[in-house]
């Protein structure tokens, strides 16, 4: 069955909201990381050379993890317009292909001239044969239009899931960055706080990557359905030599 217009609009809205959240999440992670760096810089005089070395290493770990997470978000944002266009194309394809061909199928089954029902003999047999062939071609075209529309929709919907998962990652990392406040009272424990922060950020990133791989596998499986679409397109069983069955022989 084709995706309903309401479901398409709902998924489009979900993707747009995910994009907005991605932009906010990226800004939050970058701003909170910079705040942490500035705070450490302002209190660097209070650290000895050995603690400074450990702090530098921990911050490198945090920076690398934040950079990787932000990179995921930015890549998804760059693909925003093409993904949204998949939703639009999905419904447009139905409007442009399925609806008109469905009308043709109805016309084939419902001749405008009732006198045709009075035909008999060879002419009637030939007409019914051609009528059946054209009806089969119309039905096949309608079926293919629905299948292609659903495939486009599924590809776009998988992108929504991917974007949503990255939003969760950025929010988790952003909150972890907020949890570390650099002030004079924390100087003694700052190494431990940064070590915990680095581990938490890397743990969130690792968990997210597992989810992203799973979604990526679903995406690949969805794309793999394109082989089925190609097989449908190359199926000429309802068409004469790959062409629409004609009502009259040349």
């Amino acid at each position: 069955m084709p995706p309903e217009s309401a479901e398409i609009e709902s998924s489009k809205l979900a993707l747009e909201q995910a994009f907005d959240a991605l932009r906010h999440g990226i800004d939050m992670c970058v701003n909170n990381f910079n705040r942490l760096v500035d705070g450490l810089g302002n209190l660097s005089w209070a650290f000895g050379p050995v603690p400074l070395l450990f702090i530098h290493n921990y911050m490198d770990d945090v920076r690398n993890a934040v950079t990787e997470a932000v990179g995921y978000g930015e890549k998804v944002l760059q693909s925003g317009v093409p993904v949204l266009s998949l939703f639009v194309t999905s419904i447009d394809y139905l409007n442009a292909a399925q609806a008109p061909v469905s009308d043709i199928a109805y016309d084939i089954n419902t001749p405008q001239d009732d006198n045709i029902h009075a035909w008999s003999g060879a002419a009637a047999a030939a007409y019914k044969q051609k009528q059946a062939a054209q009806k089969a071609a119309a039905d096949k075209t309608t079926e293919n239009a629905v299948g292609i529309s659903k495939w486009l929709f599924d590809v776009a919907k998988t992108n929504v899931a991917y974007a949503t998962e990255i939003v969760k990652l950025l929010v988790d990392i952003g909150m972890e960055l907020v949890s570390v406040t650099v002030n004079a009272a924390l100087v003694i424990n700052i190494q431990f706080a940064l070590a915990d922060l680095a581990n938490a950020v890397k743990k969130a990133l690792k968990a997210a990557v597992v989810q992203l791989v799973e979604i990526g596998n679903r995406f690949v499986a969805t794309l793999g359905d394109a082989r089925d679409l190609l097989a449908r397109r190359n199926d000429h069983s309802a068409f004469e030599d790959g062409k629409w069955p004609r009502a009259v022989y040349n």
Side-chain angles (χ1 to χ4, degrees):
M1 293 296 294
E4 298 293 338
S5 298
E7 188 180 3
I8 289 179
E9 289 302 318
S10 175
S11 295
K12 283 173 60 180
L13 178 61
L15 185 62
E16 291 169 350
Q17 291 174 339
F19 287 161
D20 290 340
L22 278 172
R23 294 184 185 95
H24 176 72
I26 290 172
D27 291 341
M28 179 176 64
C29 286
V30 172
N31 292 338
N32 288 342
F33 181 80
N34 290 337
R35 173 196 58 78
L36 186 57
V37 171
D38 291 341
L40 290 172
N42 292 335
L43 288 175
S44 60
W45 56 270
F47 306 127
V50 174
L52 275 177
L53 177 62
F54 282 104
I55 290 171
H56 176 77
N57 291 336
Y58 292 136
M59 287 302 292
D60 277 348
D61 286 345
V62 174
R63 179 185 291 106
N64 291 337
V66 170
T67 300
E68 186 174 351
V70 167
Y72 284 130
E74 289 177 340
K75 286 180 180 178
V76 172
L77 287 178
Q78 290 170 6
S79 67
V81 174
V83 173
L84 280 174
S85 71
L86 287 176
F87 286 121
V88 177
T89 303
S90 175
I91 194 67
D92 285 350
Y93 196 88
L94 280 182
N95 291 333
Q98 185 211 16
V101 176
S102 296
D103 291 339
I104 292 174
Y106 175 80
D107 290 340
I108 292 172
N109 270 350
T110 313
Q112 295 184 12
D113 191 339
D114 290 337
N115 290 327
I116 291 178
H117 296 297
W119 284 10
S120 61
Y127 172 76
K128 289 180 179 178
Q129 180 182 3
K130 284 298 181 179
Q131 183 187 41
Q134 289 197 328
K135 177 63 167 58
D139 290 344
K140 177 62 71 173
T141 302
T142 301
E143 177 188 339
N144 288 349
V146 172
I148 291 172
S149 174
K150 185 178 184 304
W151 179 75
L152 290 169
F153 177 75
D154 288 344
V155 170
K157 199 171 181 180
T158 308
N159 276 270
V160 175
Y162 195 88
T164 302
E165 190 62 36
I166 295 175
V167 170
K168 295 178 183 177
L169 168 64
L170 292 173
V171 170
D172 288 345
I173 289 179
M175 295 307 295
E176 290 293 347
L177 291 169
V178 170
S179 69
V180 177
T181 302
V182 180
N183 54 45
L186 193 64
V187 167
I188 297 177
N189 296 321
I190 190 63
Q191 294 180 69
F192 304 106
L194 291 178
D196 291 341
L197 172 63
N199 289 332
V201 171
K202 287 189 288 186
K203 183 178 179 180
L205 186 61
K206 184 177 180 180
V209 168
V210 171
Q211 292 298 319
L212 294 177
V213 168
E214 180 181 342
I215 295 172
N217 289 336
R218 295 208 309 265
F219 183 70
V220 171
T222 302
L223 291 178
D225 290 341
R227 292 193 300 272
D228 297 334
L229 296 179
L230 182 61
R232 285 191 184 190
R233 194 186 72 177
N234 292 337
D235 179 7
H236 296 164
S237 58
F239 304 89
E240 297 176 354
D241 299 324
K243 300 177 182 178
W244 190 267
R246 294 162 293 179
V248 179
Y249 287 106
N250 288 335

